Amino acid sequence: MSKITLFNTCQYHLDRINSYSELLEEDAVKERPNSLTQIVGQAIFQRRRALGMSQEELAEKVGIGQQSLSRMEQGKTAPRFERLQNLADALDCRVVDLFAEPQESADFYADSLAELFSALSDEQRVFVHRQAAQLIHFLRNNEKI
């Protein structure tokens, strides 16, 4: 397969994947945070996901409702000052860590992809994995892009 054909195939599949925004978890903050409420919300979301914890589990540990936690993670509401320590304890971090700009590490992206993969059939997972591997190989060999 030529590089142009591979690139076009990968681009086609990426365009299709991007059009399926409903596959993204609704409570995820999709844009780079621009307010303190959004920064805290995304930090809570990323820490929770990194720990493999559901919203329900974290909400129970903190003593709030799942919907309240969802609004926090979306950056729609800020946690009450009194709850910050409870959140930090439940997320095994310091309060100050909840105010840091979230880092989008390789682990964050891997976790995000793993969750997306879980919604696919075995056949679809194999297909997506093969396409992603080809795209990564292509990008590594063509770093100018």
Side-chain angles (χ1 to χ4, degrees):
M1 179 180 292
S2 74
K3 286 185 179 183
I4 292 172
T5 303
L6 176 61
F7 178 78
N8 288 338
T9 300
C10 291
Q11 187 62 51
Y12 167 77
H13 291 295
L14 284 174
D15 290 343
R16 287 190 61 205
I17 289 168
N18 288 333
S19 70
Y20 293 121
S21 61
E22 70 272 8
L23 291 177
L24 297 174
E25 187 173 322
E26 286 184 56
D27 64 347
V29 178
K30 295 178 184 90
E31 297 176 4
R32 184 154 186 82
N34 58 13
S35 74
L36 189 55
T37 302
Q38 290 175 324
I39 289 169
V40 171
Q42 194 165 27
I44 292 169
F45 171 77
Q46 288 185 354
R47 291 287 307 174
R48 176 180 64 78
R49 295 284 296 273
L51 294 170
M53 196 181 307
S54 70
Q55 279 188 339
E56 293 81 14
E57 291 170 321
L58 179 57
E60 186 178 320
K61 284 184 175 189
V62 177
I64 60 175
Q66 183 270 328
Q67 290 183 341
S68 294
L69 179 60
S70 177
R71 286 191 298 274
M72 281 181 214
E73 288 185 354
Q74 291 175 48
K76 292 180 180 177
T77 61
R80 291 192 356 224
F81 186 76
E82 303 83 35
R83 294 224 192 271
L84 289 172
Q85 188 61 57
N86 293 345
L87 280 162
D89 290 344
L91 294 168
D92 195 28
C93 67
R94 302 169 302 161
V95 171
V96 70
D97 296 331
L98 299 176
F99 292 91
E101 286 276 351
Q103 299 297 315
E104 294 178 348
S105 66
D107 288 341
F108 168 76
Y109 288 113
D111 291 344
S112 177
L113 286 173
E115 184 162 325
L116 292 172
F117 265 57
S118 70
L120 301 175
S121 69
D122 289 341
E123 184 177 303
Q124 290 169 326
R125 285 185 196 130
V126 169
F127 173 77
V128 171
H129 181 268
R130 188 175 298 131
Q131 296 300 316
Q134 289 176 348
L135 177 60
I136 291 167
H137 179 74
F138 174 78
L139 293 173
R140 279 186 178 162
N141 291 330
N142 298 283
E143 292 185 26
K144 298 175 206 166
I145 296 178

